[in-house]
RNA sequence: GCCCCUGUGGCGGAACUGGUAGACGCGCUGGAUUCAAAAUCCAGUUCCCGCAAGGGAGUGGGAGUUCGAUUCUCCCCGGGGGCACCA
């Protein structure tokens, strides 16, 4: 008995599919279409287990849908721009373009070794000018319709490297390479008006029924719509006022201070002759811009010395603080503080000894004595200490306060979003150039469409700090498209989310000299099933949803939602190992280490913890099918998956078990295509029914993405068929049915093994071109059901009853069972609950 | 800090819409085969008591609704992730 030769078999079928163009598709209006897309990878150089899982899931769906008669589009490409290429360039002195192309070519080979059913004719790389030229045109079109604008925005600036840092490159307020303090700088940058679509992006979430609820919720929170009011507070002894956004205008009488962001223009202005304030602003800038850092920091501030007038009571003046917990990017960058009803305001008020007057009291509290200590009261209640609002509920008071604001010309209701416009400028080299020219005379001039693409120069070097585009000797020097005088190209490039916001559309007609043809897009889009990591739940998916709307607005597309189905996969985890000194060890190092090794718990596979398993080793040792099976069998796709050696061994054993079972069957199989014999023995008949039940169950599991359950069902059927080896009538026929069914069911999971077995079973047509097995519904019906019998909710026995058995009859049979009679003996039966075909509960 | 996810045997997980908890796999134990091992095959495997028949407990903890709760409600605890220049 020989083991299955995965290496040889997998190469054989990969070549067969390729030479036949088995997965190349074109639009075919006679068939229902199905577009399966997995998030395309960043070409880091080698695939990792997360890719293996992602692409196994996608391939299963693609092959399954193809077997079910769909015209399936299943493409693959490369998200090829990004920071790592520049880091590699600096570290290894390799040009980013070359580094990226080399990586693509080795990763393509790795993906091909997985046997994925891609239409490789549609492969794209986003760093290819034939790709990014189209997004330069899109940007110009967006500019044309007013979806793009320029404004000043803060960045992390590394003064030594002379460059902008990503958040991940700022560690404890210092640059990751230079180690010096990072500064905040204001730069003029391009923004896309995603907020213009905020309401629509939010509302349409409801229609995305095949998206996970949690992703929809995350997007909902990200967009963060809140209804409230703008209030204008007049500044004492000045002509201007401060605009505040609040959702609690009902608590206006409880206001005891005002706070503005450190970056608020007013704070900046006052800092000029207020050193304390200037220091404070510098301090806030060191804290960073992340919400987490701001929210967890101690609430501190500085009195600016200004006062504002309470809009409802001109006698009342509020001090104005600059505070670290007020975000310039949210609302208006200024708040009024109502300590009794907001925890942050309360913390702040206690620190600076500000007044805490409750203006909402719980319904059961005594308004005269109700007070707030160190916990703000944020629930609904009755308004107190609030003049004309007294006695109202919170919603009533909001309405009344809003009306008074309008009447006194000091404010109005408004809707505010947490969502901010999308800043797309990056001060980086390895990205798509932003197609504009800066001219001293004409200002900012878009590059005319016929001059696109603005191609990225590849002859750059990283021997000096800063963006190589900016100090390239010739690249940025051009003539102004408008006046013809010398001008300069914009040296910023797009955020790489720009490329991934429309690649799904490019795949519809990847060879086209347009971004995509409308005809192909209309046929294939939207993506029916998108599959990728949960880490993209908000940004990439939201930007793509916005981009699709923007493209529709510019006439490129007819749809506004790019992905109607979404599946998010969990992470791959693995045990961690450390040596005596606490250094992380690779799994293979741990196995051969001299000294003692400490076994850590299973964590997300990461280079830093070295707990990675290289897919290439696994595939060459066990084959792609084994790796794929393991990816599918243990955990549901959306949960984290623990990589274990015993798990991969188990998958390998099953591959071989199927191989042996079918290549050397214990009973000579009936000829292919024979009709069902009418004398099936009992065992053969039961097994035959099991085949149909399995096909039905697996189909339904695959439809619901319960892949681990589908694998379990197939293994169960394997057990049934393995036990069926007697000389009874019809066994040879049922075994053929069963083997063929199993091969067809595993086709989407282990395509190479399945093709090989299919051929061995005598088929000339490839399994890839074979339809999914049919289910004979009549074989699924059972005529008896095993009914559980409980006494007082405790299981005391079971009984087989005819399906749909009469309740009275069932009760009689149950009570007659000796074990039941014994337990019930001498007790009064108070009630008997009969759930037909399921359970009988005797209450005594 | 805020938001999201998650918790079931030794392990990964299963359980339709509130109805026999632990399917399937891994691991482990015993046996067969073998000179021996690997591989393979057979049997067993939630825990406790019991020779067995059987009994009791049990889905992170605590309460509640119900004839019946892994599933519904409330409170609490543990683990993981996200928070806008990583992709």
């Amino acid at each position: 008995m020989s083991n299955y030769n995965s290496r040889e078999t997998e190469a054989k079928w990969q070549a067969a599919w390729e030479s036949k163009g088995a997965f190349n598709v074109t639009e075919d209006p006679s068939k229902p279409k199905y577009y399966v897309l997995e998030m395309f990878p960043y070409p880091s150089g080698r695939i990792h287990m997360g890719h293996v899982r992602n692409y196994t899931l996608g391939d299963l769906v693609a092959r399954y849908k193809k077997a079910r008669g769909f015209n399936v589009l299943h493409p693959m490409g490369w998200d090829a721009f990004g920071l790592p290429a520049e880091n590699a360039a600096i570290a290894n002195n390799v040009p980013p373009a070359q580094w990226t192309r080399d990586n693509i070519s080795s990763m393509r080979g790795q993906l091909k070794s997985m046997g994925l059913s891609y239409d490789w004719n549609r492969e794209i790389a986003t760093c290819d000018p034939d790709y990014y030229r189209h997004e330069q045109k899109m940007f110009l079109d967006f500019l044309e319709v007013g979806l793009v604008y320029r404004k000043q925005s803060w960045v992390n600036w590394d003064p030594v490297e002379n460059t902008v840092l990503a958040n991940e490159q700022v560690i404890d307020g210092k640059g990751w390479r230079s180690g010096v303090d990072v500064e905040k700088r204001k730069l003029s940058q391009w923004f896309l008006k995603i907020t213009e679509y905020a309401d629509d992006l939010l509302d349409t979430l409801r229609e995305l029924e095949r998206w996970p609820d949690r992703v929809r919720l995350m997007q909902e929170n990200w967009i963060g719509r809140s209804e409230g009011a703008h209030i204008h507070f007049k500044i004492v002894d000045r002509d201007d006022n401060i605009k505040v956004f609040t959702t609690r205008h009902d608590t206006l009488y409880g206001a005891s201070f005002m706070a503005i962001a450190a970056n608020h223009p007013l704070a900046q202005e006052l800092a000029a002759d207020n050193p304390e304030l200037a220091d404070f602003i510098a301090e806030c800038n060191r804290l960073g811009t992340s919400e987490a850092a701001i929210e967890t920091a101690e609430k501190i501030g500085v009195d600016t010395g200004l006062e504002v007038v309470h809009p409802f009571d001109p006698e009342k003046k509020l001090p104005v603080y600059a505070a670290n917990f007020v975000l310039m990017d949210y609302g208006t960058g200024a708040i009024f503080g109502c300590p009794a009803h907001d925890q942050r305001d309360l913390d702040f008020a206690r620190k600076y000894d500000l007044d805490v007057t409750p203006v909402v009291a719980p319904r059961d509290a005594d308004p005269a004595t109700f007070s707030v200590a160190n916990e703000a009261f944020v629930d609904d209640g009755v308004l107190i200490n609030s003049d004309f609002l007294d006695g109202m509920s919170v919603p009533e008071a909001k309405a009344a306060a809003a009306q008074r604001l309008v009447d006194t010309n000091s404010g109005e209701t408004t809707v505010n979003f947490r969502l901010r416009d999308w800043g797309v400028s990056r001060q980086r080299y390895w990205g798509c150039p932003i197609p504009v020219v800066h001219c001293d005379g004409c200002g900012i001039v878009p590059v005319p469409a016929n001059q696109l693409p603005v191609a990225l120069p590849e002859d750059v070097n990283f021997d000096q700090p800063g963006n190589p585009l900016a100090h390239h000797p010739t690249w940025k020097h051009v003539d102004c498209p408008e006046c013809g005088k010398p001008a300069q190209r914009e040296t910023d490039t797009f955020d790489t989310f720009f490329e991934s916001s429309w690649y799904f559309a490019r795949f519809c007609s990847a060879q086209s000299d347009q971004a995509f043809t409308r005809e192909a897009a209309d046929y294939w889009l939207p993506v029916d099933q998108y599959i990728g990591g949960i880490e993209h739940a908000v940004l990439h998916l939201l930007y793509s949803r916005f981009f699709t709307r923007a493209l529709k607005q510019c006439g490129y597309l007819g749809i506004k939602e790019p992905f109607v189905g979404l599946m998010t996969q969990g992470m791959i985890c693995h045990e961690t190992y450390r040596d005596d000194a606490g250094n992380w060890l690779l799994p293979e190092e741990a196995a051969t280490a001299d000294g003692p090794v400490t076994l850590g718990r299973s964590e997300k596979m990461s280079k830093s913890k070295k707990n990675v398993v290289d897919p290439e080793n696994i595939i060459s040792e066990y084959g792609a099918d084994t790796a794929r099976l393991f990816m599918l069998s243990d955990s549901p796709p959306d949960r984290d998956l623990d990589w274990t050696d015993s798990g991969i061994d188990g998958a390998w054993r099953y591959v071989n078990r199927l191989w042996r079972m079918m290549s050397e069957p214990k009973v000579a199989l009936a000829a292919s295509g024979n009709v069902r014999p009418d004398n099936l023995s009992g065992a053969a008949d039961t097994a035959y029914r099991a085949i149909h039940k399995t096909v039905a169950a697996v189909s339904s599991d695959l439809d619901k993405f319960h892949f681990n359950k589908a694998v379990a069902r197939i293994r169960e059927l394997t057990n049934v068929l393995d036990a069926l080896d007697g000389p009874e009538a019809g066994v040879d026929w049922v075994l053929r049915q069963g083997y063929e069914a199993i091969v067809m069911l595993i086709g989407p999971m282990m395509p190479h093994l399945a093709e090989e077995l299919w051929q061995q079973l005598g088929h000339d047509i490839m399994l890839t071109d074979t339809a999914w097995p049919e289910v004979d519904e009549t074989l699924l019906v059972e005529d008896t059901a095993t009914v559980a019998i409980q006494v007082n909710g405790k299981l005391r026995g079971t009984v087989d009853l005819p399906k749909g058995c009469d309740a009275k009859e069932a009760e009689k049979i149950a009570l007659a069972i000796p074990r039941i009679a014994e337990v019930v003996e001498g007790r009064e039966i108070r009630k008997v609950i009969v759930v037909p075909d399921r359970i009988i509960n005797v209450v005594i």
Side-chain angles (χ1 to χ4, degrees):
Chain A
M1 240 187 271
S2 59
N3 262 0
Y4 170 64
N5 186 334
S6 62
R7 209 181 279 246
E8 208 168 274
T9 311
E10 293 187 350
K12 167 182 164 186
W13 290 106
Q14 283 161 20
W17 294 326
E18 183 151 351
S19 74
K20 227 184 139 248
F23 308 112
N24 298 347
V25 286
T26 50
E27 292 93 273
D28 177 356
S30 71
K31 276 187 179 175
K33 69 93 184 178
Y34 198 89
Y35 185 177
V36 190
L37 183 65
E38 298 109 59
M39 290 179 184
F40 65 164
Y42 179 78
S44 56
R46 301 184 71 77
I47 60 169
H48 55 66
M49 282 297 172
H51 294 127
V52 175
R53 188 178 200 190
N54 196 172
Y55 304 146
T56 296
L57 294 171
D59 200 49
L60 186 153
V61 173
R63 287 175 181 267
Y64 173 61
K65 289 292 174 183
K66 179 169 155 68
R68 291 235 113 164
F70 289 88
N71 190 28
V72 173
L73 174 60
H74 188 212
M76 182 42 73
W78 311 98
D79 190 12
F81 277 137
L83 209 44
E86 292 188 47
N87 293 334
I90 294 165
N92 310 321
N93 202 25
V94 188
Q98 188 196 325
W99 184 82
T100 304
R101 290 193 190 111
D102 289 350
N103 285 349
I104 288 175
S105 103
S106 53
M107 283 178 79
R108 184 192 300 114
Q110 291 187 310
L111 289 189
K112 288 198 171 178
S113 78
M114 282 184 66
L116 303 166
S117 62
Y118 296 128
D119 178 351
W120 282 105
N121 290 338
R122 294 173 188 260
E123 179 183 359
I124 56 174
T126 58
C127 62
D128 186 338
D130 275 338
Y131 182 83
Y132 66 71
R133 68 185 304 160
H134 303 296
E135 72 188 36
Q136 292 178 335
K137 176 68 167 56
M138 289 169 189
F139 175 80
L140 298 177
D141 289 335
F142 294 167
L143 194 60
E144 188 83 26
V145 298
L147 282 170
V148 175
Y149 67 101
R150 209 165 153 75
K151 77 168 180 194
Q152 297 263 303
S153 172
W154 294 92
V155 294
N156 303 311
W157 182 262
D158 186 317
V160 169
E161 298 222 356
N162 225 355
T163 187
V164 173
L165 298 179
N167 281 342
E168 68 159 11
Q169 297 172 322
V170 181
I171 295 152
D172 294 331
K174 305 197 188 292
W176 67 331
R177 266 199 284 255
S178 68
V180 300
D181 278 345
V182 170
E183 298 169 6
K184 293 278 150 193
R185 277 214 187 168
K186 241 181 177 178
L187 294 183
S188 230
Q189 315 208 49
W190 292 102
F191 283 80
L192 260 53
K193 281 191 194 165
I194 189 171
T195 52
E196 200 147 282
Y197 281 103
D199 266 319
D200 190 47
L201 288 166
L202 181 66
D203 290 346
T204 321
L205 282 174
R206 252 182 292 127
E207 293 165 26
L208 297 175
E209 286 162 14
R210 292 202 296 113
W211 279 41
D213 286 341
R214 62 172 168 151
V215 174
R216 291 196 276 177
L217 194 60
M218 281 162 86
Q219 294 215 350
E220 189 178 321
N221 291 335
W222 189 263
I223 295 168
R225 183 181 197 277
S226 58
E227 295 184 0
H230 277 148
I231 305 174
H232 309 276
F233 286 82
K234 167 95 181 52
I235 305 175
V236 175
D237 296 332
R238 281 173 59 132
D239 289 335
D240 50 349
N241 51 41
I242 301 177
K243 186 158 100 172
V244 153
F245 172 76
T246 179
T247 58
R248 292 303 304 271
H249 36 298
D250 55 306
T251 65
L252 200 42
Y253 279 101
S256 58
F257 67 98
M258 168 174 284
I260 59 177
N263 290 336
H264 195 281
L266 190 61
Q268 302 279 314
E269 175 199 323
L270 296 169
D273 39 36
N274 182 341
E276 193 196 356
L277 183 57
D279 285 350
F280 177 74
I281 291 170
E283 172 72 32
C284 287
N285 285 342
R286 267 195 291 282
L287 189 60
T289 50
S290 90
E291 210 169 284
I294 288 162
E295 292 276 342
T296 47
E298 191 193 359
K299 313 291 177 267
I300 52 171
V302 167
D303 193 338
T304 61
L306 293 183
E307 285 189 317
V308 290
V309 182
H310 193 285
F312 292 167
D313 179 3
E315 298 306 307
K316 195 170 171 185
K317 310 282 193 283
L318 307 176
V320 178
Y321 283 78
N324 67 348
F325 63 95
V326 181
L327 298 163
M328 191 58 220
D329 287 319
Y330 184 82
T332 60
I335 61 151
F336 76 78
C338 178
H341 307 290
D342 182 287
Q343 194 61 47
R344 288 169 304 187
D345 296 351
L346 184 59
D347 295 345
F348 191 81
R350 291 296 180 216
K351 188 168 180 72
Y352 296 100
D353 202 20
L354 297 159
D355 180 44
V356 180
T357 304
V359 288
V360 183
R363 297 207 173 271
D364 52 8
D366 174 8
T369 58
F370 177 69
S371 71
V372 164
N374 287 314
E375 198 168 327
F377 176 71
V378 296
D379 299 332
D380 193 8
V382 183
L383 271 283
I384 56 172
N385 302 324
S386 292
D387 191 46
F388 72 103
L389 300 174
D390 282 348
M392 293 182 186
S393 68
V394 165
E396 286 164 353
K398 280 186 184 177
Q403 190 56 52
R404 177 71 63 95
L405 287 171
V406 172
D407 292 345
T408 58
N409 207 20
S410 51
E412 65 281 321
T413 57
T414 186
V415 173
N416 188 62
F417 292 93
R418 182 178 168 276
L419 181 70
R420 307 200 293 256
D421 277 335
W422 174 16
V424 295
S425 298
R426 296 290 181 272
Q427 296 69 38
R428 301 271 150 69
Y429 160 69
W430 193 234
C432 170
I434 298 176
V436 296
V437 168
H438 297 263
C439 170
D440 287 343
C442 311
I444 291 169
V445 182
V447 174
N450 62 13
Q451 290 176 25
L452 298 181
V454 175
L456 201 57
E458 296 194 4
D459 54 334
V460 290
N461 60 63
F462 288 86
D463 53 12
Q464 54 181 309
N467 182 351
L469 277 187
H471 36 71
H472 187 279
T474 56
W475 184 79
K476 70 177 176 184
H477 303 289
V478 287
D479 293 339
C480 170
E482 225 138 82
C483 67
K485 289 188 190 143
Q488 296 203 325
R489 287 195 190 283
E490 165 107 25
T491 57
D492 283 359
T493 53
F494 284 131
D495 177 6
T496 58
F497 277 124
F498 216 91
E499 285 83 56
S500 56
S501 291
W502 68 281
Y503 77 110
F504 50 87
R506 177 69 180 167
F507 278 136
C508 296
S509 45
Q511 319 276 358
S512 170
D513 54 5
Q514 306 162 50
F516 42 85
T517 69
R518 182 63 191 264
E519 195 189 358
D522 284 348
Y523 177 80
W524 291 114
L525 292 177
V527 174
D528 296 279
Q529 190 59 53
Y530 195 33
I531 306 169
I534 184 75
E535 66 273 21
H536 293 292
V538 178
L539 293 184
H540 161 59
L541 290 168
L542 194 62
Y543 291 149
S544 298
R545 295 181 63 217
F546 159 67
F547 220 88
T548 305
R549 283 164 170 75
L551 288 175
K552 180 168 187 259
Q553 185 181 337
C554 294
Y556 282 77
L557 280 173
I559 55 156
K560 66 176 187 180
E561 284 297 341
F563 316 118
V564 291
L566 175 69
M567 173 174 21
T568 52
Q569 56 163 359
M571 300 178 301
I572 314 281
C573 301
H574 191 238
E575 290 172 335
T576 49
Y577 314 93
R578 288 188 199 238
D579 65 13
D580 252 4
N583 302 311
W584 300 104
L585 297 177
L586 289 166
E588 51 269 28
E589 290 169 345
T592 58
D594 299 334
V597 172
T598 312
L599 178 65
R601 55 165 202 190
S602 183
E603 294 188 65
K604 178 184 177 168
M605 277 191 188
S606 72
K607 278 184 194 155
S608 61
K609 291 188 179 149
K610 291 198 171 182
N611 59 339
V612 289
V613 176
D614 188 338
E616 196 168 286
N617 297 340
I618 296 297
I619 290 170
S620 66
E621 191 172 343
Y622 295 94
D625 284 344
T626 300
R628 293 169 57 131
L629 176 64
F630 177 63
M631 286 295 165
L632 297 169
S633 42
D634 271 0
S635 298
D638 57 341
R639 279 221 221 162
D640 290 352
L641 178 108
D642 256 314
W643 179 273
T644 59
D645 293 343
S646 56
I648 191 76
D649 282 339
W652 171 241
R653 277 205 294 276
Y654 183 64
V655 165
N656 280 291
R657 184 177 170 202
L658 286 177
W659 172 253
R660 279 193 307 273
M661 182 181 181
M662 296 192 200
S663 56
E664 296 166 28
K666 291 187 247 182
V667 174
L669 302 185
S672 179
N674 278 7
V675 293
R676 174 181 175 180
D678 25 347
N679 62 336
L680 286 190
S681 64
D685 184 67
T686 307
Y688 186 52
R689 287 170 186 274
I691 294 167
H692 282 265
K693 282 180 198 158
T694 303
V695 173
V698 169
S699 307
S700 136
D701 285 338
L702 296 188
D703 285 333
K704 290 183 281 191
F705 305 138
H706 295 168
F707 304 138
N708 55 328
K709 286 164 68 182
V711 171
R713 300 282 156 261
I714 297 171
R715 293 186 97 127
E716 269 177 318
L717 180 61
T718 312
N719 294 341
V720 167
L721 296 179
D722 228 1
L724 186 71
D725 55 3
E728 293 92 343
V731 164
D732 61 336
W733 185 82
V734 169
L735 282 179
R736 170 164 285 278
Q737 299 300 310
Y739 289 176
E740 296 201 344
I742 285 182
V743 169
M744 288 192 275
L745 295 180
I746 63 167
M749 304 171 177
M750 296 178 275
H752 313 87
L753 174 68
E755 285 286 10
E756 185 67 20
L757 291 173
W758 190 243
Q759 190 181 53
Q760 281 197 13
L761 286 167
H763 295 276
D764 300 330
I765 297 172
M766 283 205 284
L767 182 64
T768 302
D769 294 321
T770 303
W772 195 247
E774 300 279 340
V775 174
D776 181 347
E777 301 281 339
T778 63
L779 295 171
L780 306 182
V781 235
E782 296 278 3
D783 32 3
T784 63
T786 304
V787 175
I789 303 168
Q790 298 180 335
V791 177
N792 282 354
K794 274 198 198 315
L795 184 71
R796 296 296 170 182
T798 61
V799 64
D800 285 341
L801 293 174
K803 274 239 164 163
C805 178
D806 175 72
K808 280 273 163 264
E809 182 67 19
E811 181 180 329
K812 223 172 93 189
I813 295 170
L815 291 172
I817 293 169
R819 281 273 323 129
I820 307 300
E822 196 181 303
V823 178
V824 174
E825 169 101 66
R827 308 283 295 272
E828 185 203 348
I829 297 177
R830 299 213 308 232
K831 203 197 265 184
V832 179
I833 289 133
V834 180
V835 182
D837 303 336
R838 286 201 176 276
I839 201 168
I840 297 168
N841 191 7
V842 182
V843 186
I844 56 176

